[in-house]
Amino acid sequence: MRRWICLLAWLAVLGLGSLVAAEKVHMSTDLTAFLPTGTDADATVLLDAARNGTAARLMLLAIGGGDAQQRAKASRQLTQALRQDPRFVRVENGVASDPDALIQPLLQHRYLLSPAVTAESFSVASLHQALLQRLADLASPTSAFTAQWVTQDPTGALMPLLARWRPQNAPRIRAGVWATQDGKQAILLVETRASGFDLAAQTPLVNEVRTQFSKLAMPGLTLQMAGAGPFSVLLRDRTRHEVKLYSALASVAMFIVLLLAYRSLWLVLLGGLPMLSAVLAGLLVSQAVFGEVYGITLAFGITLIGVVADYPLHLFSHLHPNEPVHTSLKRIWPTLHLSAVNMLVAYCMLTFTGFSGLSQLGVFAATGLATAWLSTRWLMPYLLTQPRFDAADGWAGVAVQWLKKLPVWRWPAAVLLLASVAVLVGLNKPMWNDDLAGLTPVPKPLQALGQRLRSALGAPDLGYVISVPGNSSQQVLARSEQLLPLLKALQARQAIGGFDAAARFLPSVATQQQHQQALPDAATLKANLHAALQATPYMEAAFAPFLQDVAAARTATPLTLADVQGSLIGLRIAPMLVQQGDAWHALLPLSAVQDVAAVQAAVAASGVAGATLVNLKATSARMVASFRSDALWQLGIVVLTTLVIMFWGLPWRRYLPTLLPMAAAVLGVTAGYYLLDIRLNLFHLISLMLVAGLAEDYALFLGADAASDAERARSLHAVTLCLASSVSVFGILGMSEIPVLQAIGQTVTAGVLLGCVLGVLGARPRLAAALARRGSQGR
Amino acid sequence: MRRKGLVAALLAVCVALPATAASVAESGWGLPQLAQLLAQNSGGTLAFTEYKYLQALKLPLRVQGTVSFTPPDRIERIVTQPRPERFVVDNGLVTISKNGGSEHVVQLAQYPQLQAFVSAFTATLNGQLQALQKNFTTVVTGNAEAWALKLTPARAALADTVEQMVITGAAAQILSFEVKQANGDRSVMQLSPLPTPLPAG
């Protein structure tokens, strides 16, 4: 009866905790939290801004199937539908659409903004030429559209402004819309207001595009999406799906293994409670301490505290029919205590590493471990009754008899350890994969699609940006203006495919003032116009709006960033201007960079103060590398502390049998990866930490002093089950195609197998009989 | 050219009068009959001369070229004067190619005035006049040999730009196409069969 009350109370607390967690825990999907902060603040800000810049806001769509006409129709209808949605800054498919919201401000401010405004363009000769050109425009059937501007904008200042909104290298046109080079897909360019890495915002946008496409109800046509946003959403969904699938499979496998071993549904179900409590407590405490929980903390954290799933197993295997549960617990307690305290200290030390990601991981793991440890010690015994069977009576008893005949073999572990060190030191090659994207890579065909669409659309990728620093928005605009002619030259030489810059849309105040100075005064303009109108069929009176607009522009206040806030221009340039306190950066994304050296040389030769070409991939990799090496260093300290604690808690003769399998397992797996040419990433590192924890745990229990063969058999039973459950769980995760799951699964599976085998071979308990004999001989 | 068309029409009236008088009297002359007449058209190329009377201009702007129609709705207009320009409406898209070869694509739906013109033009050319009643009030006057079709926009949005369109013709041939814009601009397009090239010598 009492155990039911205890169970219900425990479940009630878990249920309540889950409710609180569901309500309060704010999951953050930001991977950058695991980047070191404070080490290189400037680079962090820049990287973050660039990652959230224009390139990351682009969705590239491809419509395939059907014939060219059907694809074009779908492209047009989809474009029309998406343009209604204010969450998209622009939707382009090659069909010019200049919404009034764009034309009106550009028309109004054309004499400030347009590069076509020069003193020369208002001379009699230029005006005359322009007027004849406009006559041809009027002959066009679309004249109703352009005619309104002929008398207002005879010099054509507006057109180059509108042209800036189209890609610099327009894709080929098929059936009237943009198409891929082979013409088999219609392509569209969509810029979202939200960053591509803002998953919460991107998910509904990606869904919206899909919904609108399916609403077209055009069977036979398919939609493919590329770009940071769609890829992040896809990867998230895929990972989520795989994690769910493989966790479910792993749970079932573990359930079957435990059910076969203990033949008690009650025990198997109870066995899950400490782990559940650990995750829940870890989540809640992390949320309370940090205000949010990184998704990646949860992933790493659950991996790291995988060892607590073993705690109840040790207890269950040591229960036997003739002994109260508490007595059994007390027998294993010193070993369990040592193992848990050891790891608890290690995790606590993670907390003080100074990286927000690692310290959260430390808090999560330490809380989880403490919860599982305490609940196994203080709650579990009240839920258990003495079992009907003793683990020592089964296969474990037989195995122990057999093991006793084997000599103690520590040399395999020693040989493996030395060989691994030799491999790691001897083969001098890079060992780490610092490509953040490599942790969650986009499937190859999609990567190729993205590449193809990007080059067809001349869209910038997350490769290179030019960063132009300054202490005001005006300064960075003015400085980037100096780079524009150089970039145009680079583009003409095909050193780069294209470029973008806020200054193309909003020139600096100085440039706008230059434009103003180029505008003639009212009398001059009137006289020039009069002369230019000679021998043309135009009515002079019709040009009053032109004269008015030029006169107004001469005295207008130049536009600044504040003036375009929230407008289409503002939205377009926002990702390219970054403010951090008093420091400003203009980011000029480049597309299809062919000749890095030429760009570097041009930037250096430009004389623009502080302008640098930033390789985003390399910068991001450098930061991950610095994080990793810092993390390794910190982990080194953690390992040393752990050893000190163990030395304090263990008799000296047990040092070697406990440490040797652990070190051999960790270094052996690392060397194995090294030989297989698989570079390690953060997930491998975390998994190796779990391997260390589990291997240590195994060795501690296998080597613990035992009162009898039966006791030794129970320890072997427990360790074997721990191994079986770890191998079934991580072995299944390792079968996933998601590299993250694969890395965790394979590393842990290989590591625990090595650790357990080496532990069984090398760690021998001192039996009570031998103990007594030695005691009487020795002293 | 215009005179040639008129003479042809008059001749046709004289010759056909006795035979058609009875049937016209019986069924009357209206949209269905005109549609039936025009449905015989199966595409082809016509020469055109367009005069644009624009507010900004003292003199009408004269535009010359050819226009071809391919059923159901493809129109190609090639301008030779004042500056070469090719203009294709197909499948709801307008492609404009300027002299220099630069190509510009716009969506027909974005230019209501142009769309009105194109829909009236294609409907007249392939005889599907009923479709026009959705957007215009239609009035047919004259007879089979000299007819006029007046189109007045029925929707306010369109009426803001287009005031009226008048299409005249003789039998299945369209002779002129006039567009009056709400802002006072006006254009008249005269159409005639392509002159057969003179034999050399």
Side-chain angles (χ1 to χ4, degrees), chain A residues 75-128:
Chain A
S75 163
R76 288 201 305 275
Q77 291 182 352
L78 186 61
T79 304
Q80 222 154 20
L82 295 179
R83 277 181 183 155
Q84 312 296 321
D85 194 326
R87 291 175 296 177
F88 300 107
V89 176
R90 59 192 172 117
V91 183
E92 305 285 348
N93 68 343
V95 179
S97 78
D98 299 315
D100 254 12
L102 176 63
I103 292 175
Q104 285 315 318
L106 291 182
L107 186 66
Q108 190 190 340
H109 303 294
R110 65 188 182 280
Y111 292 120
L112 293 176
L113 304 179
S114 178
V117 175
T118 58
E120 166 56 26
S121 61
F122 297 94
S123 70
V124 176
S126 295
L127 276 174
H128 186 73

Side-chain angles (χ1 to χ4, degrees), chain A residues 69 76 80 94-97 132-133 135-136 138-145 151 173 175-176 537-539 542, chain B residues 52 54-59 61 63 77 82-83 85 87 91 93 96 98 104-107 109-111 113-114 181:
Chain A
Q69 295 294 339
R76 288 201 305 275
Q80 222 154 20
V95 179
S97 78
L132 292 183
Q133 179 59 46
L135 213 52
L138 286 175
S140 165
T142 49
S143 66
F145 182 61
T151 52
I173 286 185
Y538 290 105
M539 303 257 278
Chain B
K52 290 186 149 188
L54 305 178
Q55 306 281 299
L57 301 179
K58 290 180 279 198
L59 302 168
L61 184 65
V63 186
R77 175 180 138 130
R83 295 211 178 176
E85 187 189 58
F87 174 90
N91 201 21
L93 283 180
I96 304 155
K98 294 259 192 243
H104 187 58
V105 183
V106 295
Q107 205 151 348
Q110 285 191 308
Y111 302 92
Q113 180 257 355
L114 185 62
Q181 280 175 236

